[in-house]
Amino acid sequence: MTLIFSLVLFLALLALLAWYHRRSDSLSKSVFVGLLFGVVYGASMQALVSPDVASQAIEYINIIAAGYVSLLKMIIMPLILVSIIGAILKVQNASSLGKISGLSIGILLGTTAVSALIGIAIASLFNLSADDIVQGTQELARGNALEDRLASVSTLSIADMIISFFPANPFADLAGSRPTSTIAVVIFSIFIGLSAVTLTQKKPELGNSFTHFMEVAQGLITILVRKVLALTPYGVLALMAKVLASSDLAAIHTLLNFVIASYVGLLVILAMHLLLVALVGVKPWDYLVKTAPALMFAFTSRSSAGTIPLNIETQITKLKNHPGVANFSASFGATMGQNGCAGLYPAMLAVMIAPSVGINPLDPSFIATLVLVVTVSSFGIAGVGGGATFAAIIVLSTLGMPVALAGLLISIEPLIDMGRTAINVSGAMTSGTVTSRVLGLSAEPTESDITANKSVS
C-alpha cells in the first residue's frame, strides 16, 4: 500500500509540473520547479518509507529518468553530424576550423590544469587524508575492482588514446560503439563538411543540392532536439528524486568533510569560469541564468555526454555562440579536459594519498608533476571511459600510488559526481563562449530558429 501511495504521489507531482510547464514562459523556471519537486519527493522517501519500498518505487521512477537520458543520447550523434557539417558549409574556411578546435581544446586543458591546482589547495586547506576514511566491505570490494581494472588501463599509452579518436568505422561510431565515438563522429563530420565545400567549388549544382539537403536535415534535427528538450523538467524531477531517495545518508555524514571540500573546490572552479566569460564581455549573472537548465540537468543526470544536446542548444540560442564552436566545445568537453572529473577530483585524491606513500603533497616538484599528469590524462581519458574513476586510476597509477584507495569514497560517489558533472558542462560552455567571442563568431539564427525557440522556452 505504501508503494502505491508513493507512486501516486510521484504521478501527482508530474501532473502538477506539467500544469506549471504549460503556463510557464521559461524552460529554466520549469526545470527549477522540477528540481525542487524532485528534492521534496526524494527527501520524503528517505524520511517516511523503508529502504525496500524506496527501492521498488525507484524502479518505476527510473522509467522516466532513464528514458529521458536515453532520448537525449538518441539525438547526440545526429545533432553533432548535421550541425558540424552545416557550420563548415557556412564557414567554408579550413583555417577557421583549426582555430576553433585548437582554441576550444586549449581552454579545456588550461582550465583543467587550474582545476588541478584548486584541488591541491582545497585538499590541503581541509587537511584531507586517506587515513581518516574507514574501509568497509563495500569500499574494499571497490578497491579490489579498481586494481583489476588497472591492468587494462596501464596498457594504454597517450598515443593509443589519440589513435582511438579516429573513425575507422563511422557507422559504428554513429551508433556509439566506443567511448571515443563522439570525437570520432566530430572528425568524420569535419571531413564530410570539407568535402562538401570542395564539391561546391568544383561542381556548384551538386554542392548546392547537398547544401539544401543539409539545411533540411538541420531543420528536422532542430525540431527533434527541441521536442526532446521540452521534456527536461520531467527528467530532472525523476532523476533528482531517484538520487535523493537512494542516497546513503549515514555515509554522507561520515565523509561530510570531503563532500564539503569537494563542493568548495567546484564553486571555486565555477568562479574561474565566470571570470573567463566576464573577460570576453559576458555578464556572469547572465551566464548563470542562461546556462541554468543545462547545469541542473547535468547535476541530476551525472552525464556529460547526455547533456551535449542541451549544452549545444544553450550555447547557440542563449549564449549566442557560433554553431560550429558550440558543437566543437560541447563534444570535446564531454570527452576531454573535464574540470570536475578529470581535474579537481584526481588532484584531491593524490594529495590525500601522498602522505601514506611518503610523499610531501606540498612539494613544488610533486605539484608540478601532478598538474602535468592530470592535464595530459584529461586529454586521453575518453580512450578508457569511466569518467572520474578512470581519471583517478590513470593519475594515481602514473604517480605510483595505490589505486585501490580511490574506492574509499564509493559511498558518496553519486553525491559529489553530481557537482563534478555540472562543472564539466560549465567548462565546455565556457570554452565555447570564450572561443566564440575571441574569434569574433556568433550564432546566426534564422526566423524558423527563433520561432522554434519561443515554442520551447
Side-chain angles (χ1 to χ4, degrees):
M1 189 67 181
T2 306
L3 174 62
I4 295 175
F5 177 77
S6 299
L7 294 176
V8 168
L9 176 59
F10 180 74
L11 292 175
L13 288 175
L14 280 177
L16 183 59
L17 179 60
W19 175 84
Y20 178 84
H21 187 39
R22 284 195 300 269
R23 287 159 176 75
S24 175
D25 60 350
S26 170
L27 179 62
S28 300
K29 293 179 182 178
S30 296
V31 171
F32 179 77
V33 171
L35 180 68
L36 181 62
F37 283 0
V39 169
V40 172
Y41 182 84
S44 299
M45 293 285 283
Q46 276 277 1
L48 302 177
V49 303
S50 67
D52 289 339
V53 172
S55 177
Q56 293 177 52
I58 289 171
E59 288 186 22
Y60 293 98
I61 293 171
N62 196 46
I63 294 174
I64 294 177
Y68 177 65
V69 173
S70 295
L71 288 176
L72 281 173
K73 291 180 178 179
M74 171 190 75
I75 61 179
I76 290 173
M77 297 307 186
L79 175 61
I80 292 174
L81 182 69
V82 301
S83 298
I84 289 183
I85 293 175
I88 292 174
L89 288 172
K90 290 180 179 179
V91 174
Q92 297 203 4
N93 189 326
S95 63
S96 294
L97 295 176
K99 292 177 182 178
I100 290 172
S101 57
L103 187 54
S104 296
I105 293 174
I107 294 171
L108 287 169
L109 296 180
T111 53
T112 298
V114 177
S115 297
L117 288 172
I118 293 172
I120 295 170
I122 293 297
S124 301
L125 180 65
F126 280 79
N127 295 316
L128 298 179
S129 172
D131 295 334
D132 297 333
I133 303 176
V134 178
Q135 298 189 44
T137 303
Q138 187 181 24
E139 286 77 15
L140 289 173
R142 175 63 178 270
N144 293 332
L146 293 181
E147 291 280 11
D148 294 337
R149 296 302 297 269
L150 175 61
S152 62
V153 174
S154 60
T155 59
L156 288 173
S157 66
I158 296 299
D160 292 331
M161 295 177 184
I162 295 175
I163 290 172
S164 70
F165 292 163
F166 292 93
N169 185 342
F171 297 101
D173 286 320
L174 284 168
S177 62
R178 303 183 295 152
T180 52
S181 285
T182 302
I183 298 298
V185 170
V186 170
I187 294 174
F188 175 66
S189 302
I190 291 173
F191 274 98
I192 292 293
L194 293 176
S195 299
V197 171
T198 302
L199 178 65
T200 302
Q201 294 170 347
K202 293 185 175 181
K203 297 182 179 180
E205 291 186 5
L206 291 178
N208 292 335
S209 296
F210 181 78
T211 299
H212 177 68
F213 167 76
M214 288 309 304
E215 288 176 352
V216 173
Q218 278 187 286
L220 179 62
I221 294 298
T222 297
I223 294 173
L224 173 62
V225 167
R226 286 170 179 164
K227 285 185 178 297
V228 173
L229 294 185
L231 302 174
T232 301
Y234 313 108
V236 167
L237 191 164
L239 286 163
M240 197 65 204
K242 176 184 172 184
V243 168
L244 281 184
S246 58
S247 295
D248 186 345
L249 296 182
I252 292 173
H253 182 266
T254 302
L255 298 170
L256 187 61
N257 193 38
F258 184 83
V259 174
I260 294 174
S262 296
Y263 275 89
V264 169
L266 294 171
L267 287 174
V268 174
I269 296 174
L270 179 60
M272 172 181 65
H273 294 166
L274 296 178
L275 175 61
L276 288 174
V277 297
L279 291 175
V280 293
V282 178
K283 295 180 180 179
W285 179 250
D286 288 345
Y287 173 85
L288 287 176
V289 171
K290 291 174 180 177
T291 60
L295 296 182
M296 281 190 280
F297 175 74
F299 183 83
T300 53
S301 69
R302 299 168 52 202
S303 173
S304 297
T307 313
I308 287 177
L310 195 53
N311 185 333
I312 294 173
E313 177 77 3
T314 298
Q315 288 198 53
I316 296 173
T317 62
K318 302 297 184 182
L319 298 173
K320 305 303 180 185
N321 295 343
H322 186 274
V325 175
N327 277 274
F328 275 106
S329 61
S331 303
F332 285 128
T335 47
M336 65 175 68
Q338 298 183 347
N339 293 178
C341 288
L344 180 82
Y345 183 64
M348 290 181 67
L349 281 183
V351 171
M352 291 172 62
I353 296 171
S356 67
V357 293
I359 298 175
N360 177 10
L362 297 181
D363 182 84
S365 61
F366 172 75
I367 293 175
T369 302
L370 176 57
V371 172
L372 178 61
V373 170
V374 166
T375 304
V376 174
S377 299
S378 75
F379 184 83
I381 196 63
V384 295
T389 298
F390 284 99
I393 290 177
I394 292 174
V395 171
L396 295 178
S397 62
T398 302
L399 295 174
M401 295 181 177
V403 300
L405 292 178
L408 297 178
L409 302 169
I410 183 175
S411 55
I412 58 168
E413 182 70 14
L415 179 62
I416 57 178
D417 194 44
M418 294 166 72
R420 291 193 309 239
T421 307
I423 290 301
N424 293 344
V425 173
S426 176
M429 289 192 289
T430 297
S431 173
T433 301
V434 174
T435 299
S436 194
R437 299 304 189 281
V438 169
L439 297 180
L441 301 171
S442 61
E444 298 177 359
T446 63
E447 188 63 32
S448 60
D449 290 333
I450 296 172
T451 303
N453 186 49
K454 287 181 179 178
S455 67
V456 174
S457 61

